[in-house]
Amino acid sequence: MGILIRFFTLAACCILISSGNVLAGGGTLKNLGNGICRDTVTGLEWQIEKSKRFSSRDEVKKYVAELHLGGHSDWRLPTTAETIGLRGLIAIQGNKDCGFSHLKGKYWMVDKKEGIVPARLELECFCRGDFDLLVKDKGSVRVVRSTQLKK
């Protein structure tokens, strides 16, 4: 019975997410072939490979400022909401095209309450945005950039 309830809960979350009513925009992840993966709905572009682990904000800021990936240098740390959106999108459509490695690790992100922190997201139900942010002392970086998609 518990498995059946979990299945229906997950299915309901997937329907909500794919309709664009929650954090994940219901888009498609597309590997651009240059180390970047794009969400075709939000226009967010993600670094596919994570960085080494950093233990200080200064190291993280330097890494982000010096990163030139795919001909772009306007990379930034993702917000908690963007990170949840990426994880939700991957939970729905899988991780085949972009092949993100180690999504459940500890990553530097920008959180509304905590600021710039290395943290691990413990997602309870990404469709509602329920999560625990477990702040750690080290983390990797997976940067993001915003693009303007042509309508």
Side-chain angles (χ1 to χ4, degrees):
M1 184 69 152
I3 293 173
L4 189 59
I5 291 171
R6 285 188 190 137
F7 172 76
F8 284 118
T9 302
L10 180 58
C13 287
C14 291
I15 290 166
L16 285 172
I17 289 173
S18 64
S19 69
N21 292 330
V22 292
L23 293 173
T28 300
L29 294 173
K30 179 177 168 81
N31 189 329
L32 301 181
N34 56 1
I36 300 171
C37 184
R38 177 184 290 152
D39 178 333
T40 60
V41 170
T42 66
L44 290 177
E45 292 184 348
W46 293 87
Q47 175 186 18
I48 294 175
E49 292 298 320
K50 68 178 187 167
S51 72
K52 69 176 189 169
R53 290 174 24 153
F54 295 105
S55 57
S56 80
R57 282 186 185 96
D58 289 339
E59 290 175 316
V60 169
K61 288 178 182 178
K62 181 178 179 186
Y63 172 81
V64 174
E66 293 177 355
L67 182 65
H68 295 279
L69 179 63
H72 304 286
S73 59
D74 57 344
W75 297 99
R76 61 178 172 77
L77 290 175
T79 64
T80 307
E82 289 168 336
T83 304
I84 292 170
L86 176 65
R87 296 259 313 266
L89 197 53
I90 288 171
I92 291 170
Q93 78 169 56
N95 191 15
K96 293 178 186 169
D97 193 43
C98 291
F100 287 104
S101 61
H102 309 289
L103 282 171
K104 294 183 180 181
K106 295 164 267 197
Y107 291 93
W108 285 85
M109 61 187 80
V110 181
D111 184 71
K112 287 181 183 179
K113 293 179 185 175
E114 300 288 335
I116 298 174
V117 292
R120 186 174 77 222
L121 285 173
E122 294 289 329
L123 298 176
E124 294 177 23
C125 179
F126 56 78
C127 61
R128 291 190 319 247
D130 293 347
F131 67 92
D132 289 322
L133 185 71
L134 304 172
V135 177
K136 300 293 183 176
D137 59 345
K138 293 180 185 175
S140 299
V141 174
R142 178 169 281 125
V143 292
V144 67
R145 64 185 289 271
S146 300
T147 64
Q148 297 292 330
L149 294 177
K150 295 177 184 176
K151 299 280 178 174

